[in-house]
Amino acid sequence: MKRILLIIIFGFSLSLIYAQDVFHNADTVNFPYSEWTPLEIENSNTAKNVDYLTDAEKDIIHLANLCRINPSLFSKTFLEDYATKNDLLRNSYVKSLRKTLKKQGQATLFKPNKTLWSLAKEHAQWSGKYGKLGHQHYKNRSSKSNYEYFSENCQYGYSNALDIYMDLLIDTDIPDLGHRINFLSKDVDNIGVSIQPHKTYEYNCVVDFGGN
């Protein structure tokens, strides 16, 4: 299966082979979890009590928040672990991400937002039902969000939180690195995530961001 990354344009690359349940039944004694304090892991889990999100959707927000509160440590732990296990250490986009995270400042934690989740879910369900790719009706979702800043990531082919998040953050073959920028942007601090079945690619994930 191939994965596809979208903002307005899309690119193709071979799917990554590594998948794991990120935080559920995680080994917190060993690397990469051992480098983070229990308080950091707990405080970054802003979606833990949200009843409308699946565990995988919550984990995407959790990973994104860890990266936002300590980008450099995230690079040395989760990114390094993922790149090693997927033979991506020489990937030029991984190298550029390391440089970005090294100089990236701390950002506000993402807060789960039900309106953004509803918009993301609607688009993911529609895309999945018809086997579509892209950001159709993007302006309509932006208007409905009621945020000054609105952006969106779409990813196809994965249901696992770690694969989805890393795929978007590394952003291989996306020249403008739009997915990465959205996740690291300080202009947005609200998020909605929905993973849905897809007619062609088995799964698709839509992440909507908002900020004022």
Side-chain angles (χ1 to χ4, degrees), residues 29-55:
V29 175
N30 295 310
F31 187 84
Y33 304 93
S34 58
E35 303 303 307
W36 297 81
T37 68
L39 188 61
E40 287 173 319
I41 292 178
E42 175 67 18
N43 288 346
S44 59
N45 193 11
T46 58
K48 65 178 179 179
N49 295 322
V50 176
D51 59 6
Y52 57 81
L53 294 172
T54 67
D55 285 344

Side-chain angles (χ1 to χ4, degrees), residues 64-65 68-69 105-111 183-186 188-190:
N65 278 337
R68 285 169 76 86
I69 63 171
Q106 188 179 58
T108 304
L109 290 171
F110 281 127
K111 301 181 293 291
F183 268 118
L184 298 177
S185 173
K186 296 180 180 180
V188 293
D189 56 7
N190 288 268

Side-chain angles (χ1 to χ4, degrees), residues 139-204:
K139 290 184 178 179
N140 186 44
R141 289 192 295 286
S142 178
S143 177
K144 287 182 177 180
S145 76
N146 293 319
Y147 284 104
E148 181 179 358
Y149 300 101
F150 177 85
S151 55
E152 181 173 272
N153 288 352
C154 296
Q155 199 280 337
Y156 301 83
Y158 293 133
S159 62
N160 176 271
L162 185 62
D163 286 324
I164 291 170
Y165 179 67
M166 287 300 189
D167 209 19
L168 292 166
L169 191 67
I170 295 170
D171 235 2
T172 298
D173 295 334
I174 304 299
D176 66 2
L177 302 176
H179 305 97
R180 181 188 302 180
I181 290 170
N182 285 342
F183 268 118
L184 298 177
S185 173
K186 296 180 180 180
D187 291 328
V188 293
D189 56 7
N190 288 268
I191 192 170
V193 181
S194 183
I195 303 169
Q196 299 294 330
H198 195 277
K199 182 179 179 180
T200 305
Y201 295 98
E202 192 171 2
Y203 298 102
N204 77 134

